């Protein structure tokens, strides 16, 4: 598995083609939904839902390197609140449509969930290509970044107050000199490991891009403080 992830990181570091795309809506089932739930159907209401977009070729339920360890750490830090999770349904590969599909699925799911569960709050998590997905969904374009895409959907203003925290790891837009600004800036933790070639311009340490499990506790502490 580590070899596969290293190859993915090397592919990202080398750059990937980009195009302006109109991606079709992806279908998804929440990790807490019934097995026969309709695509993007709302799951049972909890106090907090962690919505995670995994990195390119990353295994795991929410993502072996970031999503799974962050969710596990957050469950330990948040007391007196119920938590659920949702894995953004998208290819997470090097195709030109991948990030755009994730962008649309994340926005569709959160909108549906917010409508069904008015008191629920969200923690958005994105690693590598998944950070592009989250960036786009909160209105920060990842076009021009490795495995990025133009924005195809954004969370509406009515949903924005329900997003308690945004956790980004190995965010490719940082290699472009960009970052999350505006409405979500104060709620965002954007971690780039030293030397990570995906998020640091000129970085040359591919292993750094696979190191973000080490930041799970820090990220969970950040999110828990905003719930």
């Amino acid at each position: 598995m580590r070899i596969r992830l290293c190859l993915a990181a090397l592919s990202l570091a080398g750059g990937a083609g980009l195009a302006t795309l109109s991606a079709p809506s992806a279908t998804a089932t929440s990790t807490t939904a019934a097995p026969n739930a309709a695509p993007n159907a709302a799951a049972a209401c909890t106090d907090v839902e962690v919505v995670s977009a995994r990195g390119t070729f990353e295994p795991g339920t929410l993502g072996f390197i970031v999503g799974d360890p962050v969710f596990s750490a957050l469950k330990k830090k948040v007391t007196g609140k119920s938590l659920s999770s949702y894995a953004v349904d998208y290819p997470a590969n090097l195709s030109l449509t991948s990030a755009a599909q994730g962008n649309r699925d994340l926005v569709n799911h959160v909108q549906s969930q917010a409508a069904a569960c008015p008191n629920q709050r969200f923690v958005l998590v994105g690693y590598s290509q998944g950070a592009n997905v989250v960036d786009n969904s909160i209105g920060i374009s990842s076009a021009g970044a490795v495995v990025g895409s133009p924005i195809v959907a954004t969370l509406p203003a009515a949903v924005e107050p329900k997003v308690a925290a945004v956790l980004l790891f190995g965010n490719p837009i940082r290699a472009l000199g960009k970052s999350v600004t505006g409405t979500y800036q104060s709620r965002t933790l954007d971690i780039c490991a030293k030397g990570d070639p995906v998020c640091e311009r000129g970085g040359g340490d591919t292993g750094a891009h696979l190191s973000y499990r080490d930041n799970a506790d820090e990220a969970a502490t950040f999110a828990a403080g905003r719930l």
Side-chain angles (χ1 to χ4, degrees), residues 50-197:
V50 176
V51 179
S52 180
R54 69 194 190 283
T56 306
F57 302 133
E58 185 186 12
T61 302
L62 300 177
F64 175 80
I65 293 175
V66 168
D68 291 341
V70 167
F71 184 62
S72 179
L74 192 57
K75 285 192 293 185
K76 295 174 183 176
K77 293 183 181 297
V78 176
T79 58
K81 290 182 170 62
S82 57
L83 270 69
S84 59
S85 64
Y86 177 81
V88 175
D89 186 14
Y90 84 115
N93 59 26
L94 298 176
S95 71
L96 296 175
T97 63
S98 181
Q101 290 181 60
N103 173 195
R104 193 177 297 280
D105 182 73
L106 187 155
V107 171
N108 284 347
H109 172 76
V110 172
Q111 282 187 274
S112 296
Q113 194 70 18
C117 304
N119 296 320
Q120 191 171 59
R121 303 186 75 195
F122 300 91
V123 175
L124 307 183
V125 181
Y127 164 53
S128 193
Q129 184 177 173
N132 286 337
V133 169
V134 175
D135 290 332
N136 282 12
S137 299
I138 61 175
I140 309 295
S141 177
S142 67
V146 292
V147 288
S149 81
I151 294 171
V152 297
T154 55
L155 293 173
V159 171
E160 173 268 313
K162 301 175 185 291
V163 178
V166 177
L167 309 176
L168 304 173
F169 306 79
N171 188 356
I173 70 169
R174 290 187 54 168
L176 302 178
K178 295 177 63 177
S179 61
V180 174
T181 57
T183 303
Y184 292 92
Q185 184 175 7
S186 63
R187 285 173 266 173
T188 297
L189 179 66
D190 190 348
I191 300 174
C192 179
K194 183 174 177 57
D196 180 348

Side-chain angles (χ1 to χ4, degrees), residues 23-46:
S25 297
T27 58
T29 301
S30 169
T31 56
T32 56
N36 296 321
N40 288 308
C45 297
T46 57

